[in-house]
Amino acid sequence: LEHFLHKGFYYLFTASLYESKYTGSDGVLRNTAFNGNYTVNLLLGKEFRFKSKKETKKAESSLVFDLKLTMNGGQRYTPVNLEESQLAGRAVYDYENAFEPQLKDYFRTDLKIGYKKNQKKITQEWALNFQNLTNQQNVFYRAYDQQSGTEKIFYQISFLPVLQYRILF
């Protein structure tokens, strides 16, 4: 669903349901690493326009607010056989269960607050983008740690403010 910019408001909603599988050389049909089963995105935005006080200039500026929500099914992975890995001193994977387990679902909220200045030949934009606004702990991957003999979980970026300047021409 999409609502193009009208009276300063816009949105875009997308959703996908899918299966991603492969047949290995052993003839067994398995999930791929990317079989999260679904993806949902929502972008909402509001633009407040300010007209230039000088009638000779056609410059316009605006204050922009964007909210973006993303949800995905968790990524699949091949589990580590912990006992065999501890004996071998390195990661030993359970390939009979390749890509069967699934990481937790991914969720992220981003908020952008910006100021945009439209001029005759260019548009300049200054913005502060708050990535992962809710500081959601999304799992990036799991890995075997040789030193501790355990499996560790690594997370994607936590809350991250990004200052941005853009020129469009």
Side-chain angles (χ1 to χ4, degrees):
L1 297 171
E2 185 171 11
H3 183 275
F4 294 102
L5 183 63
H6 179 69
K7 295 184 181 180
F9 177 72
Y10 53 94
Y11 65 82
L12 176 65
F13 174 79
T14 63
S16 297
L17 299 174
Y18 59 91
E19 287 284 330
S20 178
K21 300 197 177 247
Y22 75 100
T23 302
S25 58
D26 57 2
V28 176
L29 182 66
R30 292 190 176 89
N31 293 305
T32 70
F34 308 103
N35 193 14
N37 301 115
Y38 77 95
T39 298
V40 177
N41 292 292
L42 175 64
L43 173 66
L44 298 169
K46 178 69 176 161
E47 194 171 292
F48 299 94
R49 291 188 180 171
F50 308 105
K51 294 242 181 199
S52 174
K53 291 181 181 178
K54 296 180 182 179
E55 289 186 31
T56 56
K57 274 189 163 183
K58 291 193 175 182
E60 256 189 17
S61 58
S62 55
L63 189 59
V64 179
F65 295 90
D66 282 334
L67 179 68
K68 180 181 169 190
L69 304 171
T70 302
M71 282 181 46
N72 295 316
Q75 189 172 11
R76 306 279 179 159
Y77 65 97
T78 302
V80 169
N81 182 322
L82 201 54
E83 288 178 15
E84 286 187 29
S85 296
Q86 289 168 341
L87 290 172
R90 61 174 175 75
V92 176
Y93 295 97
D94 178 7
Y95 290 109
E96 287 187 22
N97 292 304
F99 305 119
E100 283 307 309
Q102 190 171 14
L103 298 173
K104 284 176 47 180
D105 289 358
Y106 175 94
F107 179 75
R108 181 168 143 178
T109 303
D110 296 342
L111 174 67
K112 181 171 88 170
I113 302 169
Y115 174 76
K116 194 185 295 185
K117 187 171 183 178
N118 296 320
Q119 295 168 304
K120 191 174 182 178
K121 293 186 178 187
I122 66 167
T123 298
Q124 297 181 72
E125 182 181 18
W126 296 264
L128 186 54
N129 191 344
F130 300 100
Q131 296 181 2
N132 197 5
L133 184 66
T134 60
N135 202 26
Q136 179 75 26
Q137 293 293 304
N138 290 306
V139 177
F140 186 47
Y141 67 95
R142 301 167 65 116
Y144 179 72
D145 180 31
Q146 291 176 334
Q147 289 182 333
S148 67
T150 61
E151 194 172 20
K152 291 194 173 184
I153 296 174
F154 294 86
Y155 295 94
Q156 295 194 13
I157 64 165
S158 54
F159 171 72
L160 179 66
V162 176
L163 194 58
Q164 169 184 333
Y165 173 70
R166 227 169 41 154
I167 298 175
L168 304 164
F169 52 92

